[in-house]
Amino acid sequence: MHRSPPRISPSGSGTARLPVVPLVLGLTLLLFVSLVCGVGLGAAGIGWTDVFRLLGAGLTGGTLDAGDAAAYTIVWEIRLPRVVLGAVVGAGLAAVGVAVQAMVRNALADPFVLGISSGAAVGANAVILLGVFAGLGVWALSLSAFASALAATALVYAMARSPHGLTPLRLILTGTALAYGFEAVTTVMVFGAARGEAARSAIMWLLGSLGGATWAQVPLAAVTVAAGWAWLRLRAESLNALAMGDETSAALGVQPARLRRELFLVTAAVTGTVVAVSGAIGFVGLMVPHVVRMLVGADHRRVLAVAPLAGAVLLVWADLLSRLLLAPAELPVGVITAVVGVPAFVLLMRRGGYAFGGR
């Protein structure tokens, strides 16, 4: 019979221990402000008074003048679903990043280390470059990317599985090796593209973009991320045990092989869903968990309470910068997260006293 592990509080990574509740409240307020800024700012100049009026009309079903139709479409149908989806994707990547780092006990792990995003890229680029599943219309890209992500997940699981279950080293090596293989397939498709614009769209997707966000994409992504986060929160103490090593976690009543298998499935489902709607946005799942551990410690109960909000705020602002820096053209949002993330991550690693999981 499965028994819950005792309450475990691993030694922290760093000396800062900010209280979680005020931090969550502060990040929630910051996220709300970020969403408003994401809707109000853009290449098309719309005054703040008009932005709030249009948002209010959309929320309450109020009437608008015929002259407001274009501005309403920009605010309600283009910008708002984009920033909401950005928050959902950022939260999902951050939460899954926490889980993957605990699952493989590797500080350099992120949601894409298992090869899932590279597998999704094969399906997405098959639609963009080859016109596969064109009959599905606007759903073709997301459905093809998600289906190929699931196929990649099944392949990684089948190849990494051993008589002893899913070990961290086999997962990392298998996922990394298959990711290179998937990337090679994608590269061949990009170089073989007959249309230059199609190749550009493929590169944009590979680096991540929220430019195609619609309201239809938000519910499934939000439900999947929320369900994945809720499951991780319920297993937070088990994650604490797993991060200490298989022998220690087994002694504490956690079955490491079973938990790792469950984590693999949950992280694959969340990663596949968010990658299908946003492309391969890197660095969020790698950097955010480390920043949050420095603020609140290594206890996964605390980290998982804060990381999704931090990831959501980060991605909303990264997407906003991707829209504004070269307006009216757009940069891939993955470029922004890398430009911000690389120096920030190097500074974090150079700080004295920081170690993943307190080691």
Side-chain angles (χ1 to χ4, degrees):
M1 180 181 297
H2 174 75
R3 62 188 179 89
S4 299
R7 296 181 68 85
I8 304 162
S9 297
S11 56
S13 51
T15 57
R17 292 294 182 278
L18 297 181
V20 171
V21 173
L23 187 58
V24 167
L25 294 176
L27 283 172
T28 301
L29 178 60
L30 179 58
L31 178 58
F32 176 77
V33 173
S34 303
L35 292 173
V36 172
C37 291
V39 174
L41 300 175
I46 301 176
W48 285 103
T49 301
D50 291 332
V51 168
F52 286 115
R53 181 171 58 83
L54 294 170
L55 286 175
L59 292 171
T60 61
T63 58
L64 294 171
D65 296 333
D68 292 324
Y72 178 83
T73 299
I74 292 173
V75 169
W76 192 260
E77 299 296 334
I78 297 177
R79 291 183 184 174
L80 187 56
R82 180 170 183 157
V83 297
V84 172
L85 189 64
V88 170
V89 170
L93 291 175
V96 172
V98 174
V100 172
Q101 289 173 8
M103 177 173 61
V104 300
R105 301 187 64 237
N106 190 316
L108 296 178
D110 70 357
F112 303 142
V113 76
L114 302 179
I116 300 169
S117 66
S118 300
V122 173
N125 283 285
V127 174
I128 296 171
L129 301 172
L130 305 178
V132 177
F133 301 133
L136 296 176
V138 295
W139 292 98
L141 182 62
S142 296
L143 289 177
S144 181
F146 184 69
S148 59
L150 291 182
T153 299
L155 187 58
V156 171
Y157 180 83
M159 295 183 66
R161 190 179 181 186
S162 72
H164 305 289
L166 293 175
T167 63
L169 181 59
R170 289 179 68 93
L171 270 175
I172 292 176
L173 292 178
T174 304
T176 301
L178 289 178
Y180 279 114
F182 296 141
E183 288 169 5
V185 173
T186 301
T187 301
V188 170
M189 287 194 292
V190 171
F191 275 93
R195 297 171 294 156
E197 185 60 30
R200 182 182 181 278
S201 298
I203 296 297
M204 191 80 168
W205 194 92
L206 288 172
L207 293 174
S209 174
L210 294 166
T214 64
W215 282 118
Q217 296 173 327
V218 173
L220 178 59
V223 169
T224 303
V225 169
W229 172 82
W231 186 89
L232 292 173
R233 280 282 292 167
L234 290 174
R235 304 307 299 271
E237 293 180 6
S238 297
L239 290 176
N240 287 341
L242 189 65
M244 296 179 181
D246 287 8
E247 292 184 1
T248 302
S249 60
L252 293 169
V254 175
Q255 301 178 36
R258 176 181 175 181
L259 177 59
R260 194 169 282 118
R261 183 168 59 251
E262 294 172 353
L263 283 169
F264 180 78
L265 295 175
V266 171
T267 55
V270 175
T271 303
T273 300
V274 299
V275 168
V277 298
S278 67
I281 300 174
F283 239 92
V284 177
L286 175 62
M287 180 178 64
V288 171
H290 288 287
V291 173
V292 173
R293 287 191 194 97
M294 293 190 68
L295 296 176
V296 302
D299 188 340
H300 286 87
R301 291 167 297 185
R302 299 165 62 88
V303 174
L304 285 168
V306 176
L309 288 169
V313 171
L314 172 63
L315 197 55
V316 169
W317 281 102
D319 180 59
L320 181 57
L321 287 176
S322 76
R323 289 189 277 141
L324 295 178
L325 288 180
L326 296 180
E330 287 188 17
L331 285 170
V333 68
V335 171
I336 305 299
T337 57
V339 168
V340 174
V342 170
F345 194 73
V346 171
L347 290 174
L348 288 176
M349 294 302 98
R350 291 181 62 86
R351 280 190 52 149
Y354 180 83
F356 173 65
R359 291 180 293 279

